[in-house]
Amino acid sequence: MASSLTKDSVRPGTPGSEKTFFGHPRGLATLFMTEMWERFSFYGMRALLVLYLVAPASKGGLAFAAATGAAIYSVYNATVYLLAMPGGWIGDRLWGPRKTVAIAGTIIMIGHFLLAVPVKASFFVGLVFIAVGSGLLKANISTMVGHLYPDRNDARRDGAFTVFYMGINLGAFVAPLLIGWVADATNWHFGFALAGVGMALGLTQYVLGTRHLSPISSEVPQPVDAAERSALLKKAGLWAAAAAVFYGVVVATGSFTIDWVLWPLSLAGLALPAFYFTRMRRDKDLTADDKSKITGYVWFFVVAAVFWMIYDQSGSTLNLFASDHTANKLWSFGFPASWFQSLNPLFVMALAPVIAALWIKLGRRNPSTTVKFALGLFGIGVSFGVMMLAMASASGNAKVTPLWLCSVYLIQTVAELCLSPVGLSVTTKLAPQKYASQMMGLWFLAVTAGDCLAALTQLAIGDSFLSTTSFAIQGVIAAVGGLGFIAYRKKVIRLMGDVH
């Protein structure tokens, strides 16, 4: 998207004379371009990830079983969202958002270039770098968008996040097309390197434009004191030492496989949100109304986790289906399997304004938050019902038409637009004042929990996860869950108290 920087024809120094980005502060252009390139690198690499993991060695891949490759993808994605919580803490307590994003961008860039090195160990170290950097960046760059508008009632504030959101989807749309084409025309590692170049461009844009950001973004809102820092370092050191000893023993006995990483991380991704909810429910500082709202929110969290369990398989299960069972040609035009990953951001950009306008037009008939969540869960179930039919059509090694996947991604996008935006809203409404920021972190943990559920399923049932039966079971669970949530909605609404 071209930067529309204008200057009003008034004297320099007077209000309104500064250059703007579509009527917004220039800092939004910096954050827009940084996020666009970061998403370019993230989604471009993600479009290749599972395909590279399962590709045979003769084709330059790592030759993992399909289920293991899909589980690695799911755990990686889960870790990115899991690390958003400590990433936010680091921005608030140690470095401030501006410095944290600069460090995050550097870590992500290094990670992508490590993927470009044709060495297996370098690849997995690179994944760790990208996950850590993405967690740091995700939690802080959105905060800086808000800092550009000190007045929380500034009418431009919502529009700024809309522009920012478009940057995310623009990067996500272009990345699989370009990076997928490069990987297909050359090799996997050139594709990963191009993702690194994208992050390098975003980091350069950020450094050059950082002077346009709000001074508040450089501040550390709640600095850690010396005693707390010392205690945290001791705890971190103890956990790191325990992990080193445990995995040292596993490696020394010759027992180590990738499962020793995937299973613990997947279980931790489910245990952590359960721990947070239990701790909040037991907090004696909270009122009975606060605890009731948290209980109500647990239902939204569970629905969201099941939704993301299916939705986030777009880059793993659906990507493998695209590679193995879908014709890579439409009307004589050939393309790599990774290009299907551009469909969701394309549909989001096309349909988000339509869905938003629809909710407004419905007025008093606008569905409640519970109904929208239920529609999202039901829709994601229907998408896997379609996948069941597509898988059945691909029996006997037949290659099905790309229109099957196009239909699935369209249904999933509509379902996403019913659930994801209102999820952010209901999180802020139901959060007790004491846990306002942590509840937003919990919303991201719903993605972590969903991806961990997918990983555990993939590890447990093996390569049969890519089967008609698997699609049918997951689709039915989600669709029935959506209908059940509608039936149960009155009880959930009572738990929500004065929130509607």
Side-chain angles (χ1 to χ4, degrees):
M1 181 178 290
S3 173
S4 176
L5 294 176
T6 61
K7 189 170 184 178
D8 299 335
S9 57
V10 293
R11 290 178 301 172
T14 60
S17 66
E18 69 278 3
K19 291 182 179 179
T20 64
F21 179 71
F22 293 106
H24 294 274
R26 287 188 69 182
L28 184 61
T30 296
L31 298 176
F32 173 94
M33 296 298 293
T34 303
E35 180 71 355
M36 185 191 74
W37 283 115
E38 188 275 330
R39 292 291 87 182
F40 173 90
S41 69
F42 180 83
Y43 283 100
M45 182 279 290
R46 211 177 73 157
L48 303 182
L49 180 56
V50 75
L51 301 178
Y52 171 68
L53 288 168
V54 305
S58 60
K59 295 185 178 180
L62 296 185
F64 280 106
T68 303
I72 291 172
Y73 170 92
S74 296
V75 170
Y76 160 74
N77 212 45
T79 305
V80 169
Y81 287 91
L82 177 65
L83 293 175
M85 285 194 75
W89 185 89
I90 288 171
D92 287 342
R93 307 296 305 279
L94 293 179
W95 296 335
R98 183 183 297 189
K99 181 178 179 181
T100 303
V101 168
I103 293 172
T106 304
I107 293 172
I108 294 170
M109 179 182 67
I110 293 171
H112 283 296
F113 286 128
L114 285 172
L115 299 188
V117 178
V119 176
K120 191 173 183 179
S122 175
F123 177 82
F124 285 104
V125 172
L127 281 185
V128 173
F129 269 63
I130 296 169
V132 170
S134 297
L136 289 170
L137 188 140
K138 178 176 287 294
N140 289 281
I141 194 166
S142 296
T143 300
M144 289 197 291
V145 174
H147 287 167
L148 296 172
Y149 306 89
D151 180 3
R152 292 183 178 234
N153 295 317
D154 191 323
R156 299 174 299 169
R157 191 181 179 94
D158 287 348
F161 279 99
T162 301
V163 172
F164 185 71
Y165 186 65
M166 292 302 289
I168 293 173
N169 284 286
L170 185 60
F173 168 68
V174 174
L177 300 178
L178 184 55
I179 292 176
W181 173 75
V182 168
D184 188 63
T186 56
N187 61 52
W188 301 107
H189 299 288
F190 276 110
F192 292 133
L194 183 57
V197 170
M199 188 65 251
L201 290 171
L203 187 59
T204 301
Q205 166 73 29
Y206 182 76
V207 172
L208 293 177
T210 192
R211 66 186 184 276
H212 300 302
L213 301 178
S214 169
I216 300 173
S217 297
S218 299
E219 299 175 2
V220 181
Q222 295 177 295
V224 176
D225 58 37
E228 189 177 1
R229 185 188 296 266
S230 177
L232 286 169
L233 288 173
K234 287 180 181 178
K235 287 182 181 179
L238 286 172
W239 280 105
V245 170
F246 175 79
Y247 281 103
V249 171
V250 173
V251 171
T253 57
S255 304
F256 182 80
T257 66
I258 193 67
D259 285 359
W260 281 99
V261 176
L262 299 178
W263 278 95
L265 284 176
S266 297
L267 293 172
L270 296 176
L272 192 61
F275 166 77
Y276 271 109
F277 278 122
T278 302
R279 191 184 70 171
M280 286 191 292
R281 285 281 292 130
R282 292 178 176 177
D283 191 333
K284 295 180 180 179
D285 291 340
L286 298 185
T287 65
D289 182 60
D290 286 333
K291 293 181 180 181
S292 176
K293 288 176 179 175
I294 290 173
T295 302
Y297 184 73
V298 170
W299 287 98
F300 289 105
F301 182 93
V302 171
V303 169
V306 177
F307 174 88
W308 295 118
M309 178 188 75
I310 294 178
Y311 180 89
D312 268 356
Q313 290 183 55
S314 62
S316 56
T317 306
L318 300 193
N319 214 5
L320 290 172
F321 182 85
S323 176
D324 298 339
H325 301 289
T326 305
N328 64 345
K329 186 176 289 187
L330 187 62
W331 299 310
S332 75
F333 176 72
F335 52 89
S338 56
W339 278 24
F340 284 100
Q341 297 301 299
S342 288
L343 286 174
N344 172 252
L346 175 64
F347 288 146
V348 168
M349 289 188 288
L351 295 178
V354 176
I355 298 294
L358 176 63
W359 299 145
I360 294 173
K361 187 171 182 61
L362 286 173
R364 293 183 179 181
R365 294 174 295 167
N366 188 1
S368 66
T369 300
T370 50
V371 172
K372 288 177 181 176
F373 259 66
L375 289 173
L377 186 57
F378 181 80
I380 206 72
V382 169
S383 76
F384 259 35
V386 175
M387 277 305 304
M388 175 193 69
L389 300 176
M391 194 75 225
S393 299
S395 61
N397 295 320
K399 296 277 188 176
V400 302
T401 172
L403 295 178
W404 279 110
L405 280 176
C406 291
S407 300
V408 170
Y409 281 117
L410 178 60
I411 295 169
Q412 290 193 348
T413 301
V414 174
E416 175 195 4
L417 292 172
C418 287
L419 182 143
S420 185
V422 295
L424 292 169
S425 177
V426 77
T427 300
T428 59
K429 291 176 181 178
L430 292 177
Q433 187 62 36
K434 182 177 180 179
Y435 292 105
S437 297
Q438 292 182 59
M439 283 280 276
M440 188 55 70
L442 272 171
W443 172 249
F444 289 120
L445 283 185
V447 183
T448 295
D451 283 322
C452 288
L453 283 171
L456 290 172
T457 302
Q458 290 153 352
L459 290 170
I461 67 176
D463 287 354
S464 60
F465 81 97
L466 192 62
S467 67
T468 304
T469 303
S470 177
F471 286 127
I473 292 173
Q474 293 181 76
V476 167
I477 289 173
V480 171
L483 294 174
F485 196 56
I486 288 180
Y488 192 75
R489 70 186 186 281
K490 291 183 180 179
K491 294 182 180 180
V492 176
I493 289 171
R494 282 199 296 271
L495 290 170
M496 294 167 68
D498 59 352
V499 173
H500 302 289

